[in-house]
């Protein structure tokens, strides 16, 4: 008998011998791997260690929105059109964030972490993965009310310049404010959130007295290093996007950046339980996911 | 074609999407699933993000199967019921572990049924069962369509047995679903399908 295969049939045949058949989803996975390699090669952003399902969703959505026929076509555009890549980077930065999300966490910081921060003459806070800045302003408000803001510097960083531009402006749509104000009160707010911003038509802008203490800067947790010694690091709902390898890198950075007995705050569904650096921390607030760096032995 | 797949497939997971009227609907299905139920059950129930989440506790008291919150990196095991946490999208990775995201709302919802269903369809393909229950919006209809696209089994609560028929109606309009079932028969349908005629 004489077999006659073209290359793709041969590929299917070989896959078949391994007990699986190549289907559309296997192909899509392969194409996405190539896309991530291209992005890393061309722009240095390493999404290869991102949790895949949410990333895949965004890629497929971008393919559809831009009227492309496949991920491979998107790959080509990413390689040759930086503007198109920026569009995708914007897709990657869309998150649902709010002020004082999980108010009980901010309440715990106010009631139990601030008393430790008070012992420092200068307080450095790193808000890693600040996105559009809502939480950075939240922590600034909290520090102001605890009379700590004047000796604090908040470094709010993100890899995404588009998000940082929004964060730097400190202006948000007014229709979002009502739930923020509610969260603020539940977090132990002492006055009214409106004391901290001005209203211009449909937006609110936070006072420059808060902004003066926040440095918004580009920092990429995927590849950049420690840049200062920190007393408190907030990194909430960022690790959920990373695979285990990248989570370990990032927690390692935090460990190196924190002062002796410094604090680390994670998102409510994140933990250090399975992290290689977890042993360097002790639980300070279990429900609030607040950790404290142990004494160096 | 469908009969063939139903008979041949060994299902691995059941994804359930439910919104308004959900507590009652879930309580007439989940407690009836017997010990030894051979697939993982993953539920998105739309609800507000807040500190105390009593749904898990409430269902755990009533179910024979273990009920737990779906958490990141957790392997998904058969015979367990996983509930999506509030304030996050719940996704299934290709290696059958959970991940969470706080990406933009989908159909005004986080967690969104579409997000769970579409990611689970990619992971489990023909080994997935999708089930849409009562709700007053359209979430889940695209997700169920994706389940169908990858040859999973698609089930919808019959709109006339739903407290809020809009979500079942939307799912039925979007997809040629395999079975439309009254609420009272869903648990027995599932146990018969997955465990044989002795059950259900």
């Amino acid at each position: 008998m004489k077999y006659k295969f073209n290359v793709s049939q041969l590929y299917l045949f070989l896959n078949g011998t391994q007990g699986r058949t190549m289907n559309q989803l296997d192909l899509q996975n392969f194409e996405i791997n190539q896309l991530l390699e291209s992005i890393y090669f061309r722009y240095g952003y390493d999404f290869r260690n991102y949790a895949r399902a949410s990333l895949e969703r965004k890629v497929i959505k971008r393919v559809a929105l831009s009227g492309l026929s496949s991920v491979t076509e998107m790959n080509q555009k990413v390689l040759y059109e930086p503007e198109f890549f920026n569009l995708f980077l914007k897709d990657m930065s869309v998150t649902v964030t709010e002020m004082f999300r999980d108010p009980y966490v901010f309440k715990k910081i106010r009631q139990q972490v601030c008393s430790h921060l008070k012992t420092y003459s200068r307080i450095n806070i790193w808000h890693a993965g600040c996105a559009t800045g809502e939480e950075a302003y939240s922590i600034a408000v909290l520090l102001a009310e605890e009379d700590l803001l004047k000796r604090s510097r908040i470094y709010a960083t993100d890899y995404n310049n588009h998000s940082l531009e929004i964060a730097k402006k400190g202006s948000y749509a007014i229709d979002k404010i009502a739930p923020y104000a509610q969260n603020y009160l539940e977090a132990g707010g002492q006055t009214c959130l409106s004391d901290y911003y001005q209203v211009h038509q449909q937006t609110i802008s936070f006072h420059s007295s808060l902004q003066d203490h926040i440095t918004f800067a580009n920092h990429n947790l995927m590849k950049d290093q420690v840049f200062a010694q920190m007393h408190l690091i907030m990194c909430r709902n960022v690790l959920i996007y990373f695979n285990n390898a990248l989570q370990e890198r990032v927690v390692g950075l935090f460990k190196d950046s924190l002062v002796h007995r410094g604090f680390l705050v994670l998102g409510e569904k994140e933990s250090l339980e399975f992290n290689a650096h977890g042993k360097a921390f002790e639980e300070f607030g279990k429900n609030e996911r607040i950790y404290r760096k142990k004494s160096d032995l | 074609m469908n009969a063939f797949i139903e008979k041949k497939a060994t299902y691995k997971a059941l994804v359930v999407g439910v919104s308004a009227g959900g507590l009652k609907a879930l309580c007439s299905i989940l407690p009836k699933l017997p010990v030894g139920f051979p697939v993982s059950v993953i539920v998105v129930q739309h609800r507000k993000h807040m500190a105390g989440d009593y749904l898990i506790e409430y269902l755990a008291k009533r179910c024979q199967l273990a009920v737990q919150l779906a958490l990141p990196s957790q392997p998904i095991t058969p015979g367990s019921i996983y509930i999506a946490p509030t304030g996050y999208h719940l996704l299934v990775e290709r290696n059958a572990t959970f991940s969470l995201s706080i990406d933009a709302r989908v159909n005004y919802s986080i967690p969104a049924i579409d997000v769970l269903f579409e990611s689970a369809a990619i992971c489990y393909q023909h080994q997935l069962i999708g089930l849409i229950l009562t709700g007053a919006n359209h979430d889940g209809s695209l997700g169920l369509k994706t389940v169908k696209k990858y040859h999973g089994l698609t089930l919808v609560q019959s709109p006339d047995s739903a407290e809020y028929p809009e979500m079942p109606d939307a799912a039925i309009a979007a997809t040629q679903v395999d079975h439309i079932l009254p609420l009272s028969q869903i648990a027995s349908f599932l146990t018969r399908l997955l465990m044989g005629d002795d059950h259900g």
Side-chain angles (χ1 to χ4, degrees), chain A residues 23 57 96 102 237 268, chain B residues 49 88 94 102-103 118 125:
Chain A
N23 69 21
R57 203 185 149 79
V96 178
D102 309 319
N237 299 311
E268 66 158 339
Chain B
H49 181 55
Y88 294 83
R94 281 177 184 249
I102 49 167
D103 295 339
E118 288 170 16
Q125 303 179 33

Side-chain angles (χ1 to χ4, degrees), chain A residues 247-261:
Chain A
Q247 285 187 27
E248 281 182 9
R249 174 187 205 275
V250 171
V251 175
L253 278 188
F254 294 161
K255 186 188 78 176
D256 294 342
S257 180
L258 279 173
V259 297
H260 172 70
R261 306 295 285 150

Side-chain angles (χ1 to χ4, degrees), chain A residues 42-103:
Chain A
R42 180 77 169 79
Y43 304 98
Y45 288 95
D46 191 354
F47 291 115
R48 296 174 301 181
N49 285 321
Y50 264 53
R52 184 55 84 82
S54 131
L55 179 90
E56 180 161 5
R57 203 185 149 79
K58 285 174 188 153
V59 169
I60 298 309
K61 207 169 149 196
R62 175 45 56 200
V63 167
L65 278 175
S66 296
L68 308 176
S69 63
S70 67
V71 178
T72 297
E73 194 179 346
M74 174 167 167
N75 188 6
Q76 190 155 356
K77 278 178 85 74
V78 160
L79 277 173
Y80 293 104
E81 298 172 29
E83 275 313 302
F84 180 82
F85 173 68
N86 275 334
L87 205 58
F88 176 65
L89 212 51
K90 244 188 217 182
D91 296 340
M92 290 297 293
S93 70
V94 178
T95 53
V96 178
T97 174
E98 56 186 277
M99 291 192 72
F100 298 98
R101 181 181 161 111
D102 309 319

Side-chain angles (χ1 to χ4, degrees), chain A residues 269-281:
Chain A
K269 297 291 181 284
E270 295 165 330
S271 88
L272 296 180
E273 200 179 345
F274 302 110
N275 194 288
H277 301 289
K279 288 191 279 300
F281 293 88

Side-chain angles (χ1 to χ4, degrees), chain A residues 231-246:
Chain A
H231 302 95
L232 166 66
I233 297 179
M234 309 268 299
C235 183
R236 303 180 67 222
N237 299 311
V238 175
L239 296 182
I240 52 173
Y241 287 94
F242 298 164
N243 70 8
N244 288 339
L246 189 51

